[in-house]
Structure formats: C-alpha cells, structure tokens
DNA sequence: CTTCTTCATTAG
DNA sequence: ATCGCTAATGAAGAAG
C-alpha cells in the first residue's frame, strides 16, 4: 500500500497526460460573473449593513420616524440641507464610496455646486417631495460618471490630476496656496489604512509628494504608510520608515512635514507586531543577534508605554487595547524566561508536566539541526513549514494580490460611455499573461551558469519524495511535469538539475510585473490570477489603435509584443500571452502560445476548440473528466476532447454534472464564457474581500500525546488570529477538519512526513459571536477535536477555517453609534439566526462548573474587545421602504437578500414597527428576564437523544480523556432544543447538557438560597474550587441564572449587559451584586489585569449610555416609566462613580499608575 | 420551494 | 528527508 493509491497522488501521477495541461489558469469560478455591474448596486455593496439601512431609510425623508434617524445621528447634524446635497452628505457620512477613491469632499463640493447653486436652496426645497427617492439616483449617476472621468485621469497620471485639481480650485476661487509638504517624499501605502489608500494617494500628490502603487524595491519609497502590518511585512519593512496614516493627515492639517518618527508604527503594538518581535527572536537566532536585542528593546519600551499610557481612548480603541492586553500579558510572561524560544509555549508550560516541558526544551535546538525531526511537535514547526511551503506562498500571494487590487481597482474606463458603446459593438479582447515555468525561470536567474533554454531544470526541495514545483520546458520534454515527485522526475531525466526555491525573488518579479501592468494604463481591467499570471481586458486600447489598414488583430499583436518585451526587459523572464474574446479562450490560447510565445485566437475558434482535451477547460479537473469518460464509455479513448462534449444535450449535461456545471460545460464546448475579469465588486463591499480564512497543515502532523496536539492547536489558533488581525476581521464560525490515516494506509506514507491516504472528518462550531481571539479559538478547537474523537497518533492533517466573517471596524462602529433599541433586527446580523440569540447569551451563563485550567484560561481567554457580542443595527422602516420606486426597491431587495438580511416587511424576524405598541417594543428591547427557564429555550418534550450523541458514537474510537473538561451527560429526561444546542460553541454544549442536571435539582428558589445551594453543589462536584474563584463566579449570580464557569471576556460582557438590562425591570442594581462585581474587579486587579477592568467599566458605561438614550428618545414611555428608569440609571451611575471606580483608583494609586477614568 | 450546512473539487 | 496551501464554488442533503 503506498501513496500512489491516493487520489491526490493519482492526480499528480497523471503528469504525463497532463503534460500539455499546464495552461489552465485561473478557475472560472474565481472570476464570478457579475450580471449587475451598474453603479448603484456597486454602491449598495460598498455599504456595510447599517449604512445600507440608513441609506434605505434616508430615501424618504418625510416619512422618517423618530426612531429611525440613524443618518442624522450618525452625522451629528440636523441642519436641513437641500435634497441633492443631503444625498451627497449621506455619501460622506458613509465614508465609503463605491470606488474607494476617497475623493468624497471634492465630489461633494462639485455636486453641490453643480446641482444646487448657491441661493437656490430654499426654492429647491419645494421639490423635496418629488426628489425624495428619485433624486438620489440622479445624483448618484452624476457622481458616478464624474468619478469615472476622474479615475481615468488619475490612472493616466497623477500629474494630470494635480493639474485638474488646480483648475478646480481656480474655478472655485480657492486661492489658498497648497504647500508642497511632501516634496521629496515617495510614499507607499501598505494594507488598509485610515484614511484609505486612495485618499492618501490624493493627498500626497496634491502636496507635492510621489505616490507608489507598488513597491518595486523597498528602497524606492522614503516612507511606508501603514496602520497594520502582517508579521511577514513587518519583517520586510523593519528597516524602513513605517509611519501611521495619521502622519499624512496631521502633516496636512499642520501644513508642514512632521517628524515621521513621532508616527512610527511601532507605537501601536498589535499582535502582528508582537509576533514580529518573536519572529525576530527566531530570526536573530538564526542570523543576527543585534537585531534581536534592538527589537526587544523596542518591545519593552512599548510595554512600558502601554502600561503607563493614561490617555488611551477606550471607547474608540478597544480593539487595539485588547490586543495590547494580550501583548502585555504575553510579553510579561515571556520576559522572565531564559529561553527566548519558549514564547509560543507559555500556556502550555503552565499546564504541562515538567517532563514534557523538558522534552520540548530538548527540541528547541536549532531548526537546522539535522538530528531532530522537524514535525508538528516541534515548537517552531509552523513557522518553519510556512516559510518553506510553496503552496502556502502561492496562496498567500494570491490573496494578497486580490486584496491589493480590490483597494485599487484598475478598472477605469469600463463604464465610460464611449467605451461601453465600442465594447458592446465589438467583442472584447482578453489577454492571459503568464510567466513561463515561473519558479524555474526565476530561480534560474540565481544560477548564472545554468541556461534555462538548454539544461533540464527543476525547482524542488530536493528529496526523493519531494515535489517538483516547476520545471523548465527542456525538462518537460522528458515527460516531467509540475507536481511530480523528484524520484520519478529523475527517472525520466537522469541529468535533471535541481535548484532551490527563492520566494523573495518570485515576489520581486511579480511586483515588477504588476507595476508594469498598472502603470502602462492600457487596460480596462487587470485581474490578478496569481503571482505570475494575470488576465487583462485590453479591449478599448486595441480598438482605439486599429484602423482600416491596421486591423484589430495587428493592434492586438502589437500590444502583446510590447508587453512581452517590456516584461522581459524588466525581469529577464519570458512571458507568454494568449488572447481571445473571452477568458476561456484566452486561457486555451496561452497553452498554444507556451513556451515563450503568443497566440491570438480570433478565428476558426470552433475548429480550435474541438480538439482541446476537456481536462484543459478551466474548472474541469480529473474528477469531472472521469465522469465524462464514464459517459463516453463507447470509446476507450484516453483523453476526451471538447468535440465529444458536443454530443451531449444541455439537459443531459445538467443531469450528469448538476445545473451549473452542466451549463458551464455546455457553453464552454461552444466557446462561450461570460466570466467577467473585473475585480468582483462584491468583494470590495468591505475589507473582508473573502468569505473565510483558514490555516491548513497536512504535512509533518505526527503526535504522540493529546497535549502535543493541543499545543499545536493553540499555535494554529495564534496563526489564525494573526491573519484575522492582519485583515481586521472577526469570524463567528469555526471549522476543524482532521485527516486521519485511512485504515488500510501504512503508518508512515511513502512521502516523508506526508499525509498518505486519509479519511476526513469535519466539525463546525458556531461561536455565536464574532471573535478573533486565539484563546477562544484554541479552546474551541480542542473541544472540536474531542468531539471528532480521532486518536492523536492517527492524525495526518489539520485544517482550521474561520468563516462568517465580520469587519472589525464595522463592529466597532456599530457599537459606538447604534442604539440598543434597534436590537430587534439583530438576529440576522449576528448569524445566530432563529431567534435564539437570547438563548445563547443565557445558556452561556448557565454553563456548569469547569474546574479545569482555571488559571490558564484566564490568560488565554483574553478576547479582543471588538469581538462584540452585541451587534445592533437600525432596522428598516418598511413604511419608507414601501414608498421607494420599484426599480430601486428591487436593487435594495437584491442587496438585502444578498446579505441575508430581511428584505420584506413580513418575513422572518418579527420587526413590528407598525404595531407602535410601546410595551411590546419595550419587551423586545429589554426582555424581562425574571423567568430563567425561558431563556434556555428548553423544549420540554419527551426526547430522542440529542444529536451530539450520534456524532460521538460515529467517531472511530471512543476516547475518554480524563483531562477533558467536557463531560457528556447521557441521561436527560428533558432535552434542549437541538437547534439551539447546535448554535452553541461546542465547548459549551456539553456543559449546557450537564447544566440541566443542576437545573433539575435547583428548582427556582429565592435568590439567596439558590446561590447557597449552588455553591454547595460546586464544592461537592469539585474540590478544586478556591474561595476567590467562588467569589469571582458569584459575581453574576444576581441574574436568575448562575454562572459557574471561567468565562471568556465576551461572555462576561454579555453577562454584564444582561445584568444591566435586567436591572431596568427592577429598581436598579442590587447592592450585593455591585459588591460581587467589585470583588470581581478586585480579583482582576489582583492579577494585574487592569486593562480588562477598564474595558469592563467601559462596557458598563457604554451600555448605560445607550439605555439613557433609549429612555430619552422613546416617546412611548409613560412619565412613570421614564422616571423609574432614569432613577435606575442614576443608581447605576452612582455605583459606577463610587464603588467600582474606587477599586480601580486604589489599585492605580498603589501601583503608581496614572489614570484618568 | 428556500436556505443553510457539509462535503468534494478545483487552481496554482 | 521535506515543507501536500487555501479560498471559492457548487452539488447534495438537511432543515424549515
Ligand atoms: N502543482 C504545482 C503547480 C504550480 N506550482 C507553482 C510553480 C509554478 O512556477 C507556479 C506557476 O504555475 P504554472 O501552472 O503557471 O506553471 P509554470 O509557471 O511553472 O509553467 P507554465 O506557466 O509555463 O506552464 O506555481 C507549484 O508549486 N505546484
């Protein structure tokens, strides 16, 4: 039994047949077709949910109910504006324009000047009604067209833009001189910044600076503007002037060049940077010690800054703060350690036996030590693996490129009228540009003695079972293909020369490549397929260059030649280009063009197509090919061709392959392909740009103990965390996919440390709340692992995926701006669905004792504040919605349903605005929480056993781990609603089940009694509970549910919110509860967790503010109600300002910390 | 019928 | 030795 039998390996082993198969480029799937490319839909997509709702509600000003005034509350102005200006203003308030250009102000200026001349304001107001919903669209159209022109200019030349802007200023009598602040500065923007990259672009060039879209070489820029750095970039940029975006805006505000050093990014320690520090340690390990020391000094400095920094704005920088907490804590933990390598091990060391600890110390010797096996047990495995994995690099580059292009959509003329006309009349010209055997060519340039055109060359790590990443065409002539194992390749070509990877130079060439494409300005759109290949739309350029005598074909070839020679000039690498009228044909054309060639497929398309093997069609892999061959069973032909497909009817294809795939095959066989190569505007709707983030490792996975695995899971969590932070997003759904050695597979597969033949097991957990916290993720993964129940020794692969992503900025903003009474609509947005968000927060509260790992989880479960569990949106005013004209309404509905939001007044979540019954509304708003059992959504029916069981018993081997904090309770006489259970984080689920036992015993008594009995229960169940722990847990006992678990930050926040809400139905907080809470804070402070205290206080404060606003705004309250609730607020505030604040102040005084609460 | 989840497939 | 990643898509099935 060897690897040759795995599916993966068979696919690789098809190298021979696949020899001509290399040209398959971007999958058609990746370039999703957009049927609606209009500006309005794009604009809608660019809004986040709350902005969208604001927008909808603002479409009819007069119908605006006082409860739906998000727009004015956002803007903080109630000044009446003329209608069109209003609309423009609302654009500004969203701060996202459809093209992320950041020219908002200029545009707003112009728009208001053009359409609402000064002095006409009052007259035009009479047209308000008619303008109501239609006006905005018109304005938007103007805006859009205007922008198109603008953007094209910008692409052609920044100079032109500056000139244009000067003109504009002249026209508008803006005579204030614009100082060339950035004279001599060359600015590059990395990643997502505030203000946006394009805004910085504009500001820089208007103030005399040079702006780089891409970084040819790092020396090219004098300053790198960046608000967040991935660890990788951080290393790359460590010796450059990396400044925060605020530097730009401040310079402009002050109208002078400020010292960049005051804005250096290093002050904003985030996880990425901390990682960096560590990475640095590792690197320094391997190369340079001075570097390490310097970095550590900075890190320490930063810690000091963080601790004493008193004017951190808690409300706006929560995310940052939480991250900082992590940093501080972790760094503190690390500092005393003498082994710097132990950094990744901190929480492990706490819980791990000493023996294992020393085992690991042994492994901490240099990665390069040939005597140790570098598998996943090694603490540095992940880092080392990713640094050397080509596929990891490819994937990373790909998503990086996509992100970069998302932010800078080079798509200037696609909507301009003239081009539209032309391109509608003519077929498009799509080009597919691809480096020839990219890795081989690029690596070869490091070996001047080798000739890529004469010697057979392959890029590989160089073992027997090592993959050939890329081989040149000489080698391919011997039958070698990409992905083949080296041993086989060497059998095919004994004198094959193997050379190493050089990921850095690949990146460099790619930058040159893309910089050229962008700067040439000849393309309607550029779609980056991968690091070395791109799809170009050159329609307008080629059309405008063709005349009677100089045909379109000529001008296409002209352009192709120009591109190819230019890129060869720049990189010394040859590229091939395939061109045709659509993506499919361009991809097929480039196969014919390779190597180092070109081909424009413009006539005899069908003749060409007929002889193409189906496997060459993009998106058609070996699996579909097999199916096709099965259907064609008449012939024993080895390679089915496209012409064979023509024999099938569309119905038949759809039947065999499914609707979409069948249709695709049918169309492909006829040369039809409507794949758009514009960057998917769907993606630019936010920073998200993706639906999931994952970390996969299917190499080197060899564990002996669960502890080793759990350590590795934590490492994966941290990696995932770091990626999420880098992207500024959180997720609320976590999937663990494990590969288990197939029963008949050998223990060691043929490939060294490979995975061999595996069975796969997936389990997804809904976290209920978006998070990026690695403590939560790590614990969740451990729980998921236990549920899958696969013996550690059998594991061969682990993949972790975070999905249901949310933008951190959006979470933050919502938290700041939104009023709690809008919480009604939040079910959808929280991805919890089905009305059970209530259940979640409360079930969590009810989770039973988790006496294990109390201390370590305190450290781990330090979540980022932005993982807010309360996503509140304004709801749509359906009265308003009804009035909107049909076509607009259609777009809006489409957009709403695309987001999974409610798109009609009746469906799903009960938004009962019309009811106008204040009591009902209030109840939804502040649910009465007296009746604890309701919150469980417990279904009291004679039950089948919970679904969980099935899973567990289905698992290959039942493992009972005594260290497991999760105990399954099997004999339930009452069961929970399964759908509710399934919504829970898996670690909680089992505990909820267990909790039921308590529930049965502890009938509802009076509060104090309950509290006592629970304490007793706890003590009998586990004797590990310390008094302080009990104190801590009892904090939240006031709500009818008891909490006896080490809570994560999120959970605590949820609880606090619940607590506050509840107090509004009573007479304010109970003094005892305040006492408990104060004790809890004291406990935290005892552990020096000041930051969490402050964050919790902040939560309290914010929450109370929200309630105040509800009270003051909700007109339906009777005076008594109002007074009652106001008294409650005042009660709270008094407690806050005295009892609670004092605890913190005392602590601060004692520890000489300056603080300003 | 719609929507969500899970899983396999695909690309480089 | 050896670095077998990762995000998207769509089909099938489950849930409603
Ligand atoms: N199984 C694979 C396939 C590709 N690659 C890497 C190496 C290639 O250089 C790069 C680009 O892949 P291509 O499919 O474009 O192949 P090449 O560029 O090597 O050759 P060509 O484009 O000429 O067909 O991706 C890889 O590591 N493993």
């Amino acid at each position: 039994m060897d690897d040759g039998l795995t599916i993966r390996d068979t696919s690789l082993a098809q190298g021979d047949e696949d020899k001509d198969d290399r040209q398959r480029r971007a999958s058609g799937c990746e370039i999703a077709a957009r049927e609606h490319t209009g500006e309005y839909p794009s604009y809608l997509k660019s809004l986040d949910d709350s902005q969208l709702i604001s927008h909808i509600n603002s479409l009819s000003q007069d119908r605006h109910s006082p409860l739906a005034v998000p727009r004015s509350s956002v803007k903080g102005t109630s000044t009446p504006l003329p209608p069109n200006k209003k609309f423009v203003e609302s654009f500004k308030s969203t701060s996202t324009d459809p093209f992320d250009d950041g020219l908002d102000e200029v545009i707003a200026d112009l728009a208001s000047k053009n359409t609402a001349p000064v002095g006409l304001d009052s007259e035009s107001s009479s047209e308000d009604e008619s303008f109501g919903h239609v006006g905005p669209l018109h304005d938007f159209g103007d805006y859009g067209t205007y922008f198109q022109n603008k953007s094209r200019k910008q692409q052609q030349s920044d100079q032109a833009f500056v000139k244009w802007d000067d003109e504009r200023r002249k026209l508008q009598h803006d005579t204030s001189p614009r100082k060339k602040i950035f004279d001599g500065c060359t600015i590059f923007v990395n990643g997502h910044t505030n203000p946006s990259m394009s805004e910085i672009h504009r500001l820089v060039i208007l103030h005399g600076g040079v702006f780089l879209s891409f970084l040819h070489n790092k020396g090219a820029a004098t300053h790198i503007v960046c608000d967040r750095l991935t660890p990788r970039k951080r290393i790359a940029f460590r010796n450059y002037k990396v400044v925060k975006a605020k530097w730009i805006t401040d310079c402009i505000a002050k109208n002078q060049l400020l010292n960049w050093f005051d804005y250096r990014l290093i002050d904003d320690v985030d996880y990425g940077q901390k990682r960096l520090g560590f990475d640095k340690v590792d690197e320094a390990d391997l190369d340079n010690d001075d570097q390490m020391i310097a970095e550590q000094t900075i890190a320490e400095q930063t810690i000091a800054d963080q601790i004493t920094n008193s004017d951190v704005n808690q409300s706006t920088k929560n995310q940052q703060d939480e991250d900082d907490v992590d940093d501080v804590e972790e760094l503190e933990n690390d500092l005393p350690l003498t082994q710097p390598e132990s950094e990744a091990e901190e929480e492990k060391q706490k819980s791990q036996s000493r023996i294992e600890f020393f085992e690991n110390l042994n492994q901490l010797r240099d990665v390069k030590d040939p005597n140790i096996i570098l598998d996943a047990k090694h603490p540095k495995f992940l880092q080392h693996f990713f640094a050397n994995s080509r596929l990891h690099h490819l994937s990373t580059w790909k998503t990086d490129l996509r992100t970069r292009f998302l932010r800078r959509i080079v798509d200037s003329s696609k909507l301009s009228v003239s081009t539209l006309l032309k391109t509608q009349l003519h077929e498009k010209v799509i080009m597919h540009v691809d480096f020839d055997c990219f890795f081989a060519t690029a690596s070869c340039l490091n070996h001047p003695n080798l000739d890529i055109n004469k010697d057979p060359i392959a890029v590989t790590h160089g073992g027997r079972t090592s993959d050939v990443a890329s081989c040149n065409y000489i080698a391919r002539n011997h039958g070698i293909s990409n992905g083949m194992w080296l041993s086989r390749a060497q059998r095919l070509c004994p004198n094959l020369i193997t050379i190493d990877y050089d990921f850095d130079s690949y990146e460099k060439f790619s930058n040159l490549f893309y910089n050229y494409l962008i700067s040439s300005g000849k393309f309607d759109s550029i779609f980056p397929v991968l690091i070395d290949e791109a799809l170009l739309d050159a329609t307008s350029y080629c059309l405008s260059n063709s005349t009677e005598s100089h045909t379109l074909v000529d001008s296409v070839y002209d352009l192709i030649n120009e591109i190819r020679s230019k890129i060869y000039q720049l990189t010394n690498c040859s590229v091939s280009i395939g061109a045709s009228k659509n993506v499919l044909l361009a991809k097929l054309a480039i196969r014919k063009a390779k190597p180092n060639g070109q081909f424009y497929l413009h006539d005899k398309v069908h003749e060409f197509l007929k002889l193409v093997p189906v496997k060459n069609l993009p998106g058609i892999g070996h699996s579909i090919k097999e199916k096709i061959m099965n259907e064609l069973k008449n012939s024993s032909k080895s390679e089915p061709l496209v012409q064979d497909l023509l024999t099938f009817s569309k119905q038949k294809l759809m039947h065999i392959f499914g609707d979409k795939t069948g249709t695709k095959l049918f169309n492909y066989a006829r040369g039809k392909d409507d794949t758009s190569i514009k960057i998917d505007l769907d993606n630019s709707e936010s920073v998200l740009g993706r639906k999931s983030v994952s970390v996969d490792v299917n190499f080197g996975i060899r564990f002996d103990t669960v502890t080793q695995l759990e350590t590795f899971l934590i490492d994966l969590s941290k990696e995932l965390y770091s990626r999420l932070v880098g992207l500024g997003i959180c997720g609320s759904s976590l999937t663990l996919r494990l590969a288990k050695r197939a029963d008949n597979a050998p223990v060691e597969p043929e490939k060294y440390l490979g995975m061999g033949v595996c069975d796969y097991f997936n389990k997804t957990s809904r976290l209920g709340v978006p998070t990026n916290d690695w403590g939560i993720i790590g614990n969740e993964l451990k729980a998921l692992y236990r549920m899958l129940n696969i013996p550690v020794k059998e594991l061969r692969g682990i993949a972790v995926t975070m999905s249901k992503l949310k933008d951190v900025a959006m979470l933050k903003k919502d938290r700041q701006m939104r009023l709690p009474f809008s919480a009604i609509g939040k079910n959808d947005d929280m991805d919890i669905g089905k009305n059970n968000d209530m259940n979640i927060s409360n079930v969590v509260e009810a989770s039973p004792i988790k006496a294990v790992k109390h201390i370590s989880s305190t450290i781990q479960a330090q979540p980022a504040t932005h993982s807010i569990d309360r996503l509140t949106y304004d709801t749509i005013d359906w009265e308003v919605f009804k009035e909107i004209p049909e076509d607009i309404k259609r777009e809006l509905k489409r957009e709403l349903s695309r987001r999974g939001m409610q798109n009609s007044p009746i469906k799903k979540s009960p938004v009962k605005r019309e009811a106008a019954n204040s009591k009902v509304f209030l109840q939804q708003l502040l649910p009465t929480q007296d009746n604890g059992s309701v919150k469980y959504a417990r279904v009291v029916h004679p039950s089948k056993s919970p679904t969980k069981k099935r899973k567990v018993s289905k698992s290959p081997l039942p493992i009972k781990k005594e260290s497991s904090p999760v105990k399954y309770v099997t004999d339930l006489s009452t069961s929970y609603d399964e759908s509710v259970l399934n919504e829970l984080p898996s670690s909680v689920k089992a505990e909820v089940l267990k909790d039921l036992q308590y529930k049965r015993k502890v009938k509802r008594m009076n509060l104090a009694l309950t509290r006592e009995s629970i304490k007793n229960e706890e003590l009998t169940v586990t004797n590990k509970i310390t008094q302080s722990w009990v104190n801590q847990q009892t904090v939240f006992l006031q709500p009818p549910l008891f909490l006896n678990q080490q809570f994560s930050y999120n959970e605590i926040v949820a609880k606090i919110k619940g607590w506050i809400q509840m107090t509004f139905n009573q007479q304010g907080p109970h003094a005892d509860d305040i006492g408990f809470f104060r004790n809890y804070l004291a406990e935290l402070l005892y552990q020096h967790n000041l930051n969490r205290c402050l964050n919790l206080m902040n939560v309290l404060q914010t929450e109370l503010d929200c309630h105040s606003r509800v009270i003051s705004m909700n007109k339906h309250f009777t005076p008594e109600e109002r007074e009652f609730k106001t008294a409650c607020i005042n009660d709270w505030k008094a407690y806050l300002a005295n009892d609670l604040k004092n605890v913190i102040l005392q602590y601060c005084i004692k520890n000489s910390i300056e603080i300003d609460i």
Side-chain angles (χ1 to χ4, degrees), chain A residues 231 319 355 406 494 684 715 743 781 840 929 986:
Chain A
Q319 141 87 52
I355 295 167
L406 267 185
S684 64
D715 285 348
D743 288 337
L781 289 180
I840 293 285
Q929 309 220 338
S986 48

Side-chain angles (χ1 to χ4, degrees), chain A residues 12 19 21-25 390-391 394 434-441 459 467-473 476 482-484 501 506 530-533 576 590 594-596:
Chain A
L12 294 181
K19 200 175 136 194
D21 224 50
R22 302 168 302 265
Q23 268 63 340
R24 244 184 306 95
R25 292 299 166 246
R390 75 184 199 282
L391 291 175
L394 286 174
D434 186 329
F435 282 67
D436 295 324
C437 48
F438 182 54
F439 283 17
T441 311
V459 176
D467 280 11
V468 170
S470 181
C471 57
N472 68 354
Y473 281 80
R476 290 182 200 200
N482 287 0
M484 193 179 274
Y501 294 89
Y506 306 153
L530 238 203
I531 178 147
D532 76 319
E533 72 186 82
S576 302
I590 202 177
K594 293 233 170 198
N596 193 10

Side-chain angles (χ1 to χ4, degrees), chain A residues 591-607:
Chain A
R591 291 175 162 280
K592 193 172 158 74
K594 293 233 170 198
N596 193 10
Q598 54 208 20
F599 180 49
Y600 178 34
L601 175 60
H602 55 97
D603 59 358
K604 304 212 177 93
V605 172
H606 289 282
E607 288 81 345

Side-chain angles (χ1 to χ4, degrees), chain A residues 845 926-931 935 1007 1036-1041 1055-1070 1073 1107 1124-1125 1128 1132:
Chain A
E845 284 176 35
L926 306 169
T928 34
Q929 309 220 338
D930 307 337
N931 185 349
K935 295 179 219 153
L1007 197 56
F1036 301 105
L1037 281 176
Q1038 161 69 20
L1041 303 168
K1055 249 152 287 302
I1056 291 181
K1057 289 177 178 173
W1059 180 27
I1060 294 178
Q1061 287 199 342
M1062 193 199 64
T1063 59
F1064 279 87
N1065 297 327
Q1066 305 173 356
Q1067 288 150 2
H1070 194 285
D1073 291 315
H1107 282 282
F1124 182 82
K1125 290 181 192 304
C1128 180
W1132 265 107

Side-chain angles (χ1 to χ4, degrees), chain A residues 345-535:
Chain A
E345 306 284 308
E346 66 216 45
E347 80 288 343
K348 177 171 151 191
Q349 289 174 15
K350 293 230 163 69
S351 55
Q352 209 179 7
S353 74
R354 286 188 75 76
I355 295 167
E356 269 176 310
F357 174 63
F358 283 115
E359 264 175 19
N360 276 307
L361 272 189
N362 268 340
Q363 292 183 346
L364 288 177
R365 280 173 303 165
D366 196 347
V367 173
K368 298 213 170 107
D369 185 338
N371 295 321
I372 64 158
I373 298 171
L374 194 67
D375 62 11
K377 290 189 286 282
H378 193 287
K380 281 184 188 167
F381 171 76
L382 208 54
Q383 184 199 0
H384 175 82
F385 173 63
F386 282 147
N388 291 289
S389 162
R390 75 184 199 282
L391 291 175
H392 169 75
H393 277 96
L394 286 174
S395 291
T396 315
W397 286 327
K398 179 173 180 157
T399 54
D400 279 0
L401 275 170
R402 293 285 162 89
T403 320
R404 284 152 87 183
F405 273 79
L406 267 185
R407 306 230 161 95
R408 166 165 296 281
I409 298 177
V410 189
D411 204 354
S412 53
S413 50
K414 67 165 192 280
L415 290 178
S416 89
V417 181
S418 59
T419 315
L420 262 187
L421 283 176
K422 273 198 223 162
T423 48
Q424 273 169 6
L425 291 175
H426 293 265
E427 288 173 331
K428 286 188 174 267
V429 178
I430 305 289
M431 293 188 179
H432 188 205
V433 189
D434 186 329
F435 282 67
D436 295 324
C437 48
F438 182 54
F439 283 17
T441 311
S443 281
C444 194
L445 292 174
N446 293 332
H447 301 264
N449 51 325
L450 294 180
D451 184 348
I452 189 80
N453 295 314
K454 295 221 177 68
D455 306 310
I457 294 169
V459 176
T460 166
H461 281 299
R464 191 179 56 85
T465 59
S466 169
D467 280 11
V468 170
S470 181
C471 57
N472 68 354
Y473 281 80
I474 309 294
R476 290 182 200 200
N477 290 336
H478 290 266
I480 303 173
S481 63
N482 287 0
M484 193 179 274
W485 283 1
L486 184 57
S487 55
R488 172 138 173 251
Q490 280 170 331
R491 228 177 303 133
L492 290 167
C493 173
N495 55 349
L496 181 71
I497 297 164
T498 64
I499 55 180
D500 260 338
Y501 294 89
D502 180 1
F503 296 117
D504 285 345
S505 69
Y506 306 153
E507 229 174 308
K508 211 171 63 199
F509 289 135
S510 170
N511 279 338
L512 290 168
F513 172 58
Y514 278 108
N515 267 320
Y516 164 70
L517 292 182
I518 287 180
S519 63
S520 79
K522 296 192 169 86
F523 308 108
D524 300 341
S525 38
I526 301 174
F527 183 92
V529 177
L530 238 203
I531 178 147
D532 76 319
E533 72 186 82
L535 286 162

Side-chain angles (χ1 to χ4, degrees), chain A residues 1011 1031 1034-1036 1071-1081:
Chain A
R1011 213 178 267 158
N1031 288 344
T1034 36
V1035 172
F1036 301 105
D1072 283 357
D1073 291 315
I1074 293 287
F1076 284 122
F1077 188 68
R1078 195 181 49 218
N1079 284 346
Y1080 176 65
L1081 291 183

